[in-house]
């Protein structure tokens, strides 16, 4: 028998005992009613506690998922730093080789001087710039793990296709009627 049905039966029994004047039966009915109310209170408290535990577990699950995403993002950033460092080293060695060749070409072709100077600037500036970018990326990874930066990296915007050219609002040429007559042709 369900608790609500049992409660209705107990209330009916208490009402009947009160109407008939049977004190012993009324005491039993009231005791059963109090017991049902106590049981109801206990079950509601237990249900509330279970709901709170469920909410805590769901929060924990969300926090674990967030930490996982943040760790993956930090690992992705570290991979990017390593790739930048590797490509930067390749670029520096290529720039050094090209600088050697352009330095040899300058006495022969003076126009090679611009390229030689550009390679010297690249060799001087690129390593420092790569080091700065690497430090900034690592600082961002630390902020991601700490929760002060977004959990996911922004993705580069898709290459946008330029919109087709709009036709001009007014034509470039003005069309006007031309009268041709023999007189107009003769006058020229």
């Amino acid at each position: 028998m369900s608790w609500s049905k049992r409660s209705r039966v107990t209330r009916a029994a208490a009402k009947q005992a009160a109407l008939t004047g049977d004190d012993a039966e009324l005491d039993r009915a009231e005791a059963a009613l109090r017991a049902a109310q106590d049981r109801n209170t206990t079950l509601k408290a237990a249900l509330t506690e279970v709901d709170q535990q469920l909410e805590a577990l769901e929060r924990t699950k969300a926090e674990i998922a967030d930490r996982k995403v943040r760790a993956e993002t930090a690992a992705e950033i570290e991979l990017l730093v390593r790739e930048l460092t590797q490509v930067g080293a390749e670029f520096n060695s290529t720039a050094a080789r090209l600088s050697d060749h352009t330095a040899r070409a300058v006495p022969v072709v003076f126009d090679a001087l611009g390229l030689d100077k550009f390679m010297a600037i690249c060799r001087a500036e690129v390593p420092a710039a790569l080091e700065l970018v690497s430090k900034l990326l690592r600082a961002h990874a630390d902020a991601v793990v700490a929760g002060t930066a977004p959990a996911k990296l922004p993705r580069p915007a898709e290459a946008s296709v330029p919109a087709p050219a709009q036709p001009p609002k007014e034509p470039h040429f003005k069309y006007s009627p031309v009268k041709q007559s023999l007189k107009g042709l003769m006058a020229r």
Side-chain angles (χ1 to χ4, degrees):
M1 185 180 300
S2 71
W3 287 107
S4 62
K5 196 171 193 182
R6 195 176 286 172
S7 175
R8 276 184 268 145
V9 169
T10 305
R11 286 176 199 243
K15 191 176 192 181
Q16 184 63 30
L19 289 175
T20 60
D22 185 3
D23 283 342
E25 186 62 33
L26 182 58
D27 288 342
R28 280 193 300 273
E30 286 177 345
L33 187 58
R34 271 189 239 107
Q37 289 171 344
D38 290 346
R39 171 74 53 125
N40 186 22
T41 304
T42 303
L43 290 175
K44 281 184 181 178
L47 184 60
T48 302
E49 186 177 331
V50 167
D51 285 343
Q52 290 172 350
Q53 289 175 354
L54 181 62
E55 288 174 7
L57 289 173
E58 287 174 352
R59 276 193 306 272
T60 303
K61 180 182 174 185
E63 289 170 1
I64 290 171
D66 183 59
R67 278 187 293 212
K68 179 182 176 190
V69 169
R70 289 180 182 282
E72 288 171 353
T73 301
E76 189 176 346
I77 291 171
E78 184 58 34
L79 180 63
L80 178 61
V81 169
R82 289 179 185 176
E83 290 171 348
L84 278 173
T85 303
Q86 179 184 357
V87 171
E90 292 170 8
F91 176 81
N92 290 337
S93 67
T94 302
R97 287 195 336 256
L98 187 57
S99 180
D100 291 343
H101 293 295
T102 56
R104 288 187 2 221
V106 169
V108 178
V109 178
F110 183 73
D111 292 338
L113 182 63
L115 184 59
D116 184 49
K117 296 295 181 188
F118 177 71
M119 286 296 104
I121 291 170
C122 285
R123 290 177 64 197
E125 297 295 326
V126 169
L130 282 174
E131 184 178 335
L132 175 65
V133 169
S134 295
K135 283 181 182 177
L136 292 174
L137 282 170
R138 286 189 172 117
H140 183 75
D142 292 342
V144 167
V145 170
T148 58
K152 292 188 176 187
L153 289 176
R155 297 292 172 211
E158 295 290 326
S160 60
V161 177
Q166 297 294 325
K169 295 186 187 230
E170 295 182 11
H172 293 293
F173 303 101
K174 186 173 183 180
Y175 299 102
S176 56
V178 176
K179 288 186 181 179
Q180 285 188 344
S181 65
L182 290 176
K183 280 185 178 178
L185 290 176
M186 296 282 211
R188 287 189 200 182

